[in-house]
Amino acid sequence: MPLPEGKTTARRFVEDKIPRGLAIRVFVYVVAGHLFAAFVYLLFTLGGQR
């Protein structure tokens, strides 16, 4: 794929990367979502035993 004029490969690499803050936020949301799902699963498991 040809590069547009004035763009080097290093600059294009930086522009194509996901912003660090977004990556961290997505990671935290995935971890929090799994912890919430595990908690709900635990509630249903404990509630089903009674």
Side-chain angles (χ1 to χ4, degrees), residues 7 10 12-14 17 24-25 33 35 39 41 46 48-49:
K7 292 211 175 189
R12 195 170 135 213
F13 175 73
V14 170
K17 279 178 39 177
I24 292 171
R25 213 173 319 145
L35 288 175
F39 177 70
Y41 178 77
L46 293 176
Q49 290 177 358

Side-chain angles (χ1 to χ4, degrees), residues 10-38:
R11 180 173 178 156
R12 195 170 135 213
F13 175 73
V14 170
E15 289 177 353
D16 290 343
K17 279 178 39 177
I18 297 173
R20 183 181 211 131
L22 177 62
I24 292 171
R25 213 173 319 145
V26 167
F27 179 75
V28 169
Y29 288 153
V30 167
V31 170
H34 280 85
L35 288 175
F36 178 72

